[in-house]
Amino acid sequence: MHVSELSAVPEWLPEHLGGEGIEELYPPQADAVDAGVTEGESLVASVPTASGKTLIAELAMTASVARGGKALYIVPLRALAGEKRAEFETFEQYGLTVGVSTGNYDSDGEWLATCDIIVATSEKVDSLVRNDAPWIDQLSCVVSDEVHLVDDGHRGPTLEVTLAKLRQRNPGLQTVALSATIGNPEILADWLDAELVDSTWRPIDLKKGVHFGQAIHLEDGEQHELGVRDGEKPTAAIVRDTLDDEGSTLVFVNSRRNAEAEARRLTSTVEGALTADERDRLADIAAEIRDVSDTETSSDLANAVEEGAAFHHAGLASDHRELVEEAFRDRLLKVVSATPTLAAGVNTPSRRVVVRDWRRYSGEAGGMEPLSVLEVHQMCGRAGRPGLDPYGESLLLAKSHDELDELFDRYIWTEPEPVRSKLAAEPALRTHLLATVASGFAGSRSGLLEFLDRTLYATQTDEGGRLERVMDSMLDYLVANDFLERDGDDLTATSLGHTVSRLYLDPMSAAEIVDGLEHADERPTALGLFHLVSRTPDMYELYLRSGDREEYTMIAHEHETEMLGSVPSEFEERWDDWLSALKTASMLDDWASELDESTITDRYGIGPGDLRGKVDTAEWLLSAAERLAGELGLEWAPAVREARTRVAHGIRTELIDLAGVRGVGRKRARRLFENGIEGRADLRDAEKSVVLGALRGRTKTAENVLENVGRSDPSMTDVEPAGSVAVAGDGSDENDQSSLGEF
Ligand code: ADP
């Protein structure tokens, strides 16, 4: 089907697509159009990675907007929201408006009412529904990207419940669900009352296989020699062989640390193949990477990039990730070693893919676990660049004949698993039952059962009794903790229950926080509050490493009086969790005591992106704690607010006033303070030369800061900096504001 034959889409679309090099629809896209996706039909598209799912969504959304509607695109990862927005923003030249909803979970995102296309994560959409965002009723089309993630035990239930709510609120809603190839797409179509496009078509051939010994064995029975030299690893041999053909390789490994180590190792394989021009361009990119932040991860990445290799994982800052992806697409980087996050939607095709590790550590299983077929196939699907390569090749690695056979059986000749709803898990139901009652989707036990009947779980199970049993025990919990009130069959949310639902807290987190604050006899310390929020199920705790147990047991005894709520004994089962929370709390306390970012990432063995994540979560949980304290009339709200501000900026108490000024982060605030400027009032009256000196002679920065603090004449013309100023141009102030805001 040629794009000019499309009906029901906006007039400008065919020409726009032509400009992007899209003339003929790919077969699954044509099938989607035949199924009515441009005319408002709901659709499930189960299509391989990199086969043009985004365009199916774009056809549906633009057609829906052209009919006067409004579209919502649900992304699986926050990191992908920006990328999708950038793609959809190309429609703004035709008068469409595009908005991304990220940020706090407790607002109703009113401004989004004016957007035609909204991009958000499922968690964000869930929270917007809870907060009664008025535009939800105006939605005419919702797209769910990577909908097979309803299978994810952690985040799947939110997606499932959110889609069910959107469809209940708006019975005419068009639902377009995009999925990787899965074993049971018909059940998704059944659940969503949608047409199904189930295809294995790909724009470029993909050959999967296994490397063993000195050869690769492909699924079609072909074998090629691919020799491994003495002392060489198979991965390096494959990368070298691909380079001989001027191709690049994507290597998937099972941990961040392995991704970093593999990139470092592979530099020796790729470095010799770089041209002088490539070297220069890579050096520029390395410099940009170093500018993003001054941590060890950042400099390790820059060092590898200079030599033509890189690593990619969720612990990287998003600017780092973008620089790596772009350089790989430009074929400057010859190899990228990645954790599976990269497979989940970022567009980085490569000639070859190596799935180096097919097992991964699982905390729940307490050991190594094989990856799912679905995950391995998604990684494999990144191989082959349409129009550039004759075909893509993805290889697993075997060390023995037996392993060769096992890998063929397990991954090459096997279909991906069916997806299964995880809604009947307790934490998921606890959260969603409260929210469903609080936001008016159900007002009784029987109403809840009716609502749950709209979920994938109900479509999929013939064991209805199980969900009902878990539901009843969760309702007991919610009533016992004053989140819900029960009167016969009727259920209503208490005022506390409403607050918890709007704050997007797990009710168990809220119960823990309320308990801790109610039992505090004196003003809680920051460490005590950091520990309180770190032990809620909403904070992903740091792991205890060997030796940590003793260290944190000592810290626990030293700070026992600061801890809120009852301290477990060392012999109780929850002791380990409690210590992990203390480790997380200590990290937050270090950050709020102005320790350097790189000292912290070293001390706790984490990446800068992890620190950012923990700080964000702590800030959110502490603002929720402040609201709960207010709601319950507890006197500790100011102490909570102080801890929140300190962790948000990474500062000690005395800098709170200064750090609130835009353009003044933790480091600048500290230097102003050291120069006798202790607050906003001081800043408004201070000698300009002192301000300029404290800000290392940066005129523009100083003017901005003075303007932001409300000084009437912020100009620094003819002002000389007082005191000793670092030599201009030495770059020392470049990363000065490495308050985490820049990640
Ligand atoms: P998926 O979401 O299925 O992983 P994408 O939507 O990212 O895949 O598409 C992969 C690439 O294919 C994109 O670069 C896109 O521009 C391109 N593409 C999609 N449809 C067509 C088409 N009909 N003709 C040519 N290129 C296309």
Side-chain angles (χ1 to χ4, degrees), residues 21-22 24-26 29 48-55 347 382:
I22 297 179
E24 279 294 324
L25 291 189
Y26 286 160
Q29 295 166 343
T49 311
S51 303
K53 286 194 282 293
T54 311
L55 181 60
N347 195 13
R382 291 284 153 211

Side-chain angles (χ1 to χ4, degrees), residues 27 61 70 72 80 107 115 127 131 185 202 211 242 265 288 315 318 332 392 432 457 468 482 537 589 625 727:
M61 294 193 300
K70 188 182 190 64
L72 170 66
L80 292 178
S107 67
C115 297
S127 96
N131 287 284
R202 287 178 40 102
H211 179 269
T242 318
R265 248 198 315 270
E288 282 184 61
S318 64
L332 286 172
H432 291 298
Y457 187 92
E468 202 171 331
D482 291 331
D589 202 52
V727 189

